[in-house]
Amino acid sequence: MQYVMDGFNWLIAAGPTVMLPVIITIIGLIFGLNIGRGFKSGLTLGIGFAGIKLILDFMTTNVGPAAKAMVERTGVHLTALDVGWGSIAAVTWASPIIAILIFAILIVNIVLLILKRTHTLDVDIWNYHHIAIVGVMVYFVTKNIWLGIGSSIVMGLITFKLADWSQPMVESFFKIPGVSLPTVSALSSLVIAWPLNWLLDRIPFFRKAKFSIRDAQKYLGFFGDSMIMGLIIGMAIGALAGYNVMRILQLGVSMAAVLVLIPKMTSLFMEGLMPISEAAQTWSQKRFKGRKLFIGLDAAVVVGNQDVITTALIIIPLTIAMSLVLPGNRVLPFADLAVVPFRVALVVALTNGNLLKNIIIGLVVTASLLWCGSATAPVLTAIAKSVGIKLGTNSLLISSFAATSMIQSFLVYLAFTWHPLISIPILLIGFGLVWYYFDGVKKVNAAADAADKKAVAEAAK
């Protein structure tokens, strides 16, 4: 056993660029991939992490001093830089407990399917990082592996049920039958959007609003490009920092480069995990024949919708403005502005494209991202440093519109780190009541339940 522990500690000490290929190769072998393809997937992830590290170093080196100067000149204390969900994903996959968390999440999905408590078969292994980061952060804070695993299990449970409950509107609004979206970055918004939409529906002005997506699209276009957003935001930070014209332009181009390069490095993560996802899908479907299953896909399949894009392009500048005046906010929105479409996609489906409701709910969602991101930025920063990411200045914190900035993730993180014996039961009871309402009262997936019963009856003949 000592040799095993020594080998494990050596692997951790070697860092994520070495650890990732080993872990992903093992996961691939379990799902039936050959060792060559599994290792290539892991190596691709390791290269993606190395690229993310380089870009983060570049970004914090450029933005860190500018953000500090901006704070000193303006008094606006936005000391937590939004480094983007891709960077947070890299931190998550670099955790020494990531393999345990991934299998715990997968087992939760399988158990729920066996017990017929979910219809979602989540083959989007890549996006498990949204669920796993909560376990990583809980473990980092509490040093308790069981609390870390437990928080990821609860996250998985909530995520798969939210995917079930939102599937009908995914099918009706986006016209994608048989698909659910167990992507926490999209689903989490519904925790706020469902009750707020119910409230707005009781106000005739919002329920009958006629301002359309097409009206809004007249004023957008050129400024929606992520490269242009990076340029403008970088130049604005430079100007507020008191830089001269040359340095303002340099910072603008540097930030434009970051917003272009981060998605390219992140795509290596998705490329590396694609064979794992495909193998997991094949493995699962062989074991759940005759079931009405929703295939759980990345929410990327819906963010190209014009209603979603237009809503996001309106929300982005309003979010930047809000960050400057929102009491208690410390997050400087930047890299994750490009993924605001993910945060509003299911809001748009929920409101059936009502633009005014989209904007109001979208702003409440982004306000929650700023507040929760501010609260958990110190922990996220400490974790990033622990996996070898060097930040430009000692005073700089990092945050994101992912991780525990999302309300669902934040609530689970809070329950498992703040008096767990009290807060975990409260969380589970609250979720149990919501479960009873959607499954027992509204019967959201009644058609899928009926199809399952029919399949069982036919199999029994």
Side-chain angles (χ1 to χ4, degrees), residues 85-99:
W85 70 271
S87 305
I88 305 309
V91 169
T92 307
W93 285 99
S95 169
I97 65 168
I98 186 62

Side-chain angles (χ1 to χ4, degrees), residues 63-64 66-72 74-82 237 240 319-333 370 374 395-397:
V63 175
K68 185 178 179 181
M70 181 182 72
V71 168
E72 291 173 352
T74 64
V76 177
H77 293 281
L78 302 183
T79 54
L81 177 63
D82 161 25
I237 293 172
L240 290 172
T319 296
I320 297 171
M322 181 170 60
S323 72
L324 300 174
V325 298
L326 189 67
N329 174 50
R330 301 170 69 187
V331 177
L332 175 62
L370 294 172
S374 297
S395 60
L396 180 69
L397 298 174

